[in-house]
Amino acid sequence: MMDLSFDVIAFDADDTLWHNETRFVVAQDKFKQLMSSYHSAELIEQKLYETEIRNLQYFGYGVKGFALSVIETAIELTDGQVRGREIQAIIDVAKGMLKAPVQIFEHVEEVIAELSKSYELMIITKGDLFEQETRIARSGLVNYFTHVEIVSAKTRDTYKALLAKHSVDARRFLMVGNSPRSDILPVVAIGGRAVYIPCHNTWAHEIVINQDGGQEGYFELEHIGLLPALLERLSSN
Amino acid sequence: MMDLSFDVIAFDADDTLWHNETRFVVAQDKFKQLMSSYHSAELIEQKLYETEIRNLQYFGYGVKGFALSVIETAIELTDGQVRGREIQAIIDVAKGMLKAPVQIFEHVEEVIAELSKSYELMIITKGDLFEQETRIARSGLVNYFTHVEIVSAKTRDTYKALLAKHSVDARRFLMVGNSPRSDILPVVAIGGRAVYIPCHNTWAHEIVINQDGGQEGYFELEHIGLLPALLERLSSN
């Protein structure tokens, strides 16, 4: 087997360290309920998804853009008949999402604390700057990380630029995340390694498993609690 | 006079390099018109301002948060009677703001091009990551800047962290911007220098001129075209 050791381990945040998609699923359910006198849950979900995709170019990722897309969908689905108090309910759900406590996944705290003794740890997360900073600050984990990078997209170029900026050799860089498209494939493509930890609530738009990246550069784990054992196995071979 | 020379010159972006507040003023005017059958322009403006301030903690800065606050204000001002098509009009205004061409101020292009020959130039801008990146990319100026930093707030700690990150001596750092609160006072407070270029459309919330920072550390210019001459004068004394 290969002998692999790393200087820097970077973690995606949303749905890797803590729940994120759950908030959106819960919010969608509330929206479906709110609109249930107008349409079926299936149609509402389909229309909302279409609106979100169409609006990505304007709004990017995050709760605020989501809220605007939900409002737009509500207007469309009701032919403009939606009530002010229904729209306000949508805005209130968004505010609740933005203020909700950060729910860290099982094992995360112990694993991060342990690994921070031997590795330089980073967070590399995509999304809305204000939201991400707020959540990272409230997670209570921030002191374990040497750098926190919030980016608007996670492409090969993004990772290349980040590694250059922090003078990290790609071969000694490990990325841990739940999104093949954002966390795994671009990292493997530039010569880094990745650990894929699937999250059961990943957003439909993120499920684009491109097999072109090959299977060699990354490892798949059931949950983050298994990461220290994997690292030990890799470096001792 | 003092002899001052700099290694790094950083620029605020919105309302320093290009128009920003203008977009919000125009959008507010459209909103006042939309609501003109319900209330006076003064009351609408006052209510919107209150809503924006109240929502800053949830939404931070940027067009998306602005749009959500406008929608909330519309609901409040109409006792929930606002129509779907009126809400959609607000969302469309927001989309227009996000896609509008970046309008660079006079003198900016020449000054930035000239200074980039002798100085390391940075952008340090506050706001929504996705919006800011999009606008910086579309400005056509990005290649003149060595680093672009998008932050959620501009405090002393923000500047200290950025200078440490890029190994810049505060005494050889100059910040150029239109906001005393964000661009001038915190920089002067940590030992840097600043150039204050007032913008005539600065948002009410930003006009908090705190005189505690003293006048020594910063210079005021009428427009950015005067910056090269100021730098020359300072370094040749």
Side-chain angles (χ1 to χ4, degrees):
Chain A
M1 251 201 78
M2 63 211 104
D3 175 7
L4 281 175
S5 50
F6 303 99
D7 298 326
V8 176
I9 304 178
F11 293 83
D12 170 56
D14 285 343
D15 295 319
T16 295
L17 299 179
W18 49 69
H19 285 280
N20 176 53
E21 202 46 37
T22 322
R23 299 185 301 161
F24 288 90
V25 171
V26 170
Q28 275 195 26
D29 285 345
K30 288 185 188 160
F31 179 54
K32 286 179 207 163
Q33 223 170 344
L34 199 69
M35 295 281 109
S36 61
S37 63
Y38 301 97
H39 289 290
S40 73
E42 290 69 32
L43 182 69
I44 295 166
E45 186 166 332
Q46 177 59 27
K47 281 284 168 201
L48 174 57
Y49 178 74
E50 286 168 19
T51 310
E52 284 189 83
I53 294 299
R54 191 176 66 230
N55 285 344
L56 261 189
Q57 57 165 324
Y58 297 100
F59 301 146
Y61 295 87
V63 172
K64 287 173 286 183
F66 170 74
L68 288 167
S69 288
V70 173
I71 293 170
E72 198 169 289
T73 308
I75 296 167
E76 192 189 340
L77 286 173
T78 64
D79 275 325
Q81 298 305 305
V82 61
R83 305 302 184 83
R85 60 174 168 71
E86 292 168 322
I87 303 276
Q88 186 60 51
I90 294 168
I91 296 177
D92 291 341
V93 167
K95 287 184 178 174
M97 291 171 78
L98 290 165
K99 283 288 184 189
V102 179
Q103 290 184 283
I104 294 170
F105 285 131
E106 213 186 331
H107 309 295
V108 163
E109 186 131 31
E110 312 87 86
V111 166
I112 296 296
E114 182 183 337
L115 295 180
S116 71
K117 293 175 195 154
S118 322
Y119 299 93
E120 191 171 309
L121 303 187
M122 288 176 68
I123 288 178
I124 301 179
T125 179
K126 183 175 71 176
D128 183 274
L129 180 66
F130 182 77
E131 274 172 41
Q132 292 291 330
E133 280 193 355
T134 311
R135 281 155 68 74
I136 290 166
R138 281 189 286 154
S139 74
L141 297 174
V142 72
N143 290 331
Y144 294 118
F145 297 93
T146 317
H147 299 289
V148 174
E149 294 285 356
I150 301 166
V151 295
S152 62
K154 286 176 164 178
T155 64
R156 295 180 191 194
D157 287 343
T158 313
Y159 285 105
K160 265 190 214 163
L162 289 177
L163 294 186
K165 177 171 159 186
H166 297 292
S167 307
V168 179
D169 181 347
R171 289 164 301 182
R172 299 187 62 83
F173 175 74
L174 182 73
M175 179 73 201
V176 181
N178 72 301
S179 166
R181 205 167 75 127
S182 298
D183 303 316
I184 313 305
L185 299 173
V187 172
V188 170
I190 65 158
R193 304 286 169 152
V195 172
Y196 172 45
I197 305 179
C199 167
H200 302 293
N201 264 325
T202 300
W203 188 36
H205 184 60
E206 291 275 309
I207 308 175
V208 184
I209 301 193
N210 177 353
Q211 298 292 351
D212 290 352
Q215 303 211 334
E216 286 173 35
Y218 76 91
F219 310 90
E220 184 168 336
L221 294 178
E222 181 72 22
H223 61 77
I224 201 170
L226 306 170
L227 183 57
L230 172 70
L231 291 170
E232 206 167 318
R233 187 165 65 77
L234 292 175
S235 68
S236 63
N237 269 284
Chain B
M1 251 202 76
M2 66 212 104
D3 175 6
L4 281 174
S5 51
F6 302 100
D7 298 328
V8 176
I9 305 178
F11 293 83
D12 171 54
D14 286 342
D15 294 319
T16 296
L17 300 179
W18 48 70
H19 285 281
N20 176 53
E21 202 47 36
T22 322
R23 299 185 301 162
F24 288 90
V25 172
V26 170
Q28 275 195 25
D29 286 344
K30 287 185 189 160
F31 179 53
K32 286 179 207 162
Q33 220 169 348
L34 198 69
M35 295 281 109
S36 60
S37 63
Y38 300 98
H39 290 290
S40 72
E42 291 69 33
L43 181 71
I44 295 166
E45 186 166 331
Q46 176 60 27
K47 281 283 167 202
L48 175 57
Y49 179 74
E50 285 168 20
T51 310
E52 284 190 83
I53 296 297
R54 191 175 67 229
N55 284 344
L56 262 188
Q57 57 166 325
Y58 296 101
F59 301 146
Y61 295 87
V63 173
K64 287 174 284 182
F66 170 75
L68 288 167
S69 287
V70 173
I71 293 170
E72 198 170 289
T73 308
I75 296 168
E76 194 189 338
L77 286 174
T78 63
D79 275 325
Q81 299 305 304
V82 61
R83 304 304 183 81
R85 61 174 169 73
E86 292 168 322
I87 303 276
Q88 186 60 51
I90 295 168
I91 296 177
D92 291 341
V93 167
K95 287 185 179 174
M97 292 170 78
L98 291 165
K99 283 288 184 186
V102 180
Q103 289 185 280
I104 294 170
F105 284 132
E106 214 186 331
H107 307 295
V108 162
E109 187 131 31
E110 312 86 88
V111 167
I112 296 296
E114 182 184 337
L115 296 179
S116 71
K117 293 175 194 155
S118 322
Y119 299 92
E120 192 170 307
L121 303 187
M122 289 177 67
I123 287 178
I124 302 180
T125 179
K126 183 174 74 177
D128 184 274
L129 179 66
F130 182 76
E131 274 172 43
Q132 292 290 331
E133 280 192 355
T134 311
R135 281 155 69 73
I136 291 166
R138 280 188 288 153
S139 74
L141 298 174
V142 71
N143 291 330
Y144 294 118
F145 297 93
T146 318
H147 300 288
V148 174
E149 294 286 354
I150 301 165
V151 296
S152 62
K154 286 175 165 179
T155 64
R156 295 180 190 195
D157 286 345
T158 314
Y159 286 104
K160 266 191 213 162
L162 289 177
L163 295 186
K165 178 171 159 187
H166 296 292
S167 308
V168 179
D169 181 346
R171 289 165 300 183
R172 299 187 61 82
F173 174 73
L174 182 73
M175 179 73 200
V176 181
N178 71 302
S179 166
R181 205 168 74 128
S182 298
D183 303 317
I184 313 304
L185 299 173
V187 172
V188 171
I190 65 160
R193 304 286 169 152
V195 171
Y196 172 43
I197 305 178
C199 168
H200 303 293
N201 264 323
T202 300
W203 189 35
H205 185 58
E206 292 275 309
I207 308 174
V208 184
I209 301 192
N210 177 351
Q211 297 293 354
D212 291 353
Q215 304 210 334
E216 285 172 36
Y218 75 92
F219 310 91
E220 185 168 337
L221 294 179
E222 181 72 23
H223 62 77
I224 201 169
L226 307 169
L227 184 58
L230 172 70
L231 291 169
E232 206 167 318
R233 185 164 67 77
L234 292 176
S235 67
S236 63
N237 270 284

